[in-house]
Amino acid sequence: MSGLIDGLPDVIALQCLARVPFSLHLRLQLVCRSWRAALRSPELLKAREEANASEDLLCVLAFEPDNVWQLYDPLADNWITLPILPSQIRHLARFGVISIHGKLFVLGGGSDGVDPSTGDHDGIFATNEVWAYDPLLRLWSRRAPMLVPRAMFACCALDGKIIVAVRDIRSVEDVWDTLPDLNHSHNSTCSGVVIGGKMHVLHKGLSTVQILEDKRQRWAVEDYGWPQGPIAVVQGEYFVLSHGIMFKQEMGGEGARKVVSLAVDLQSRIGFGMIGVGEEIYVVGGVVTNQFIKPLSDVDVLNVGSERPTWRQVKPMSRCQGSVLGCALLTI
């Protein structure tokens, strides 16, 4: 990375490049080889963080097309299509997805693929493979596999590591260690969320929550009694969308809830992704089930940081549509 900008030390020049929005990086890489190397280097992420120039990008995988992720840049209001996830599993679904250390991780999962000529399912219920996407290199790479194949599991990023319920924890060195089993296992879909510095596992249709405590030595079980529905975290606060109403949910079993906004238009929409980005909640994709099943690429946004939260639409996904299989926030 020598000689990035004439007359400036490289450490200062890198700080200048770090302040350029991510949407312009591809153009900047065409300037010269040294700029290309700098914009693809791990040092850039550190420089962007030091300069308070990090950006939150939304990553989405929908049912159509097969294994294609898209990345949304809120600043540019633009969707970028990533290279196809190189897994051999068709229509990878029921996986875990986490963003950590400036990379997107896709863990495990099984196939939703069906042979169109016979109607037979692919028969792959679960895998232990782990893939990581580097947005600077724009490449997928295979990482250390999980200890056992799994699908329909909860995972989250905590203390610089990826935690997977039931048993695994992943360190930054690609080493998997074991954790205690969950106290209760269920067949329902579950999700993981970090609350107060602890991993919480929530099961669809159940009011009980399992919490990883005591320096990850045991799971506690509490009954929060939260309304059922997708959950989004916005600046440490928790929002639940239930029966067409967006609630702000206080923590704990006796936590109060406050109506934030009505979302009547979402009542006939299922299979969407919901995630917090900055001070806003993004509702992405899904299908409408009125008289016909219609796959959607729409993106609706609720600003919960304002005194009067209002809904707006941003640019729809440019290639993906239908039920959202994975949704994560990538900070670079």
Side-chain angles (χ1 to χ4, degrees), residues 21-322:
F22 177 75
S23 60
L24 300 177
H25 281 200
L26 275 180
R27 297 180 186 177
L28 290 185
Q29 289 184 30
L30 300 176
V31 172
C32 60
R33 291 182 179 179
S34 60
W35 280 30
R36 176 182 171 84
L39 292 167
R40 293 163 64 95
S41 69
E43 289 79 10
L44 182 73
L45 290 177
K46 182 178 180 181
R48 286 171 68 84
E49 184 177 357
E50 291 174 350
N52 197 28
S54 298
E55 298 175 64
D56 288 332
L57 307 174
L58 177 59
C59 301
V60 179
L61 175 69
F63 185 77
E64 299 176 4
D66 185 8
N67 288 5
V68 172
W69 285 83
Q70 285 206 288
L71 182 151
Y72 177 70
D73 183 345
L75 293 179
D77 189 26
N78 187 45
W79 287 91
I80 302 170
T81 301
L82 305 187
I84 295 177
L85 177 70
S87 173
Q88 296 300 310
I89 300 176
R90 296 174 53 238
H91 274 302
L92 185 66
R94 304 185 301 276
F95 51 82
V97 56
I98 287 296
S99 170
I100 189 171
H101 305 307
K103 295 181 177 63
L104 178 72
F105 286 84
V106 178
L107 307 96
S111 176
D112 267 354
V114 176
D115 188 328
S117 61
T118 65
D120 294 335
H121 193 276
D122 279 352
I124 303 173
F125 176 75
T127 179
N128 65 345
E129 65 183 24
V130 176
W131 295 93
Y133 180 75
D134 188 327
L136 301 184
L137 299 178
R138 289 176 166 80
L139 291 174
W140 290 98
S141 61
R142 189 186 290 271
R143 306 301 287 265
M146 293 185 291
L147 300 179
V148 297
R150 61 177 78 255
M152 292 178 63
F153 57 92
C155 64
C156 68
L158 183 63
D159 298 333
K161 300 179 180 180
I162 296 176
I163 296 183
V164 175
V166 192
R167 292 184 58 86
D168 302 339
I169 179 171
R170 179 191 181 283
S171 75
V172 295
E173 292 83 14
D174 262 359
V175 177
W176 288 92
D177 298 318
T178 57
L179 284 174
D181 288 340
L182 288 166
N183 286 353
H184 303 291
S185 60
H186 306 280
N187 292 327
S188 61
T189 302
C190 61
S191 59
V193 62
V194 176
I195 301 173
K198 299 177 181 179
M199 180 179 184
H200 289 55
V201 177
L202 299 87
H203 290 269
K204 185 176 181 179
L206 300 175
S207 60
T208 54
V209 178
Q210 301 189 66
I211 308 165
L212 186 58
E213 292 189 330
D214 297 339
K215 296 182 179 180
R216 304 177 186 141
Q217 296 303 309
R218 72 180 184 96
W219 292 91
V221 180
E222 294 188 17
D223 192 337
Y224 277 9
W226 286 9
Q228 292 297 311
I231 293 178
V233 182
V234 178
Q235 297 184 341
E237 297 181 320
Y238 298 85
F239 297 82
V240 183
L241 179 59
S242 180
H243 302 290
I245 302 174
M246 187 72 74
F247 294 98
K248 179 179 176 182
Q249 179 68 54
E250 299 295 335
M251 300 312 307
E254 301 299 327
R257 67 181 65 112
K258 174 185 177 182
V259 175
V260 175
S261 174
L262 298 179
V264 178
D265 293 341
L266 298 179
Q267 286 185 304
S268 60
R269 185 169 165 184
I270 62 174
F272 54 81
M274 192 172 93
I275 191 169
V277 182
E279 294 186 340
E280 299 177 318
I281 295 174
Y282 280 62
V283 176
V284 186
V287 297
V288 172
T289 57
N290 289 330
Q291 296 179 343
F292 304 97
I293 298 178
K294 178 185 178 182
L296 300 175
S297 58
D298 298 8
V299 182
D300 295 277
V301 180
L302 177 65
N303 187 341
V304 295
S306 63
E307 294 183 3
R308 295 184 178 181
T310 55
W311 288 92
R312 63 186 175 92
Q313 283 196 325
V314 297
K315 190 174 182 178
M317 291 183 285
S318 59
R319 187 173 179 194
C320 297
Q321 63 177 356

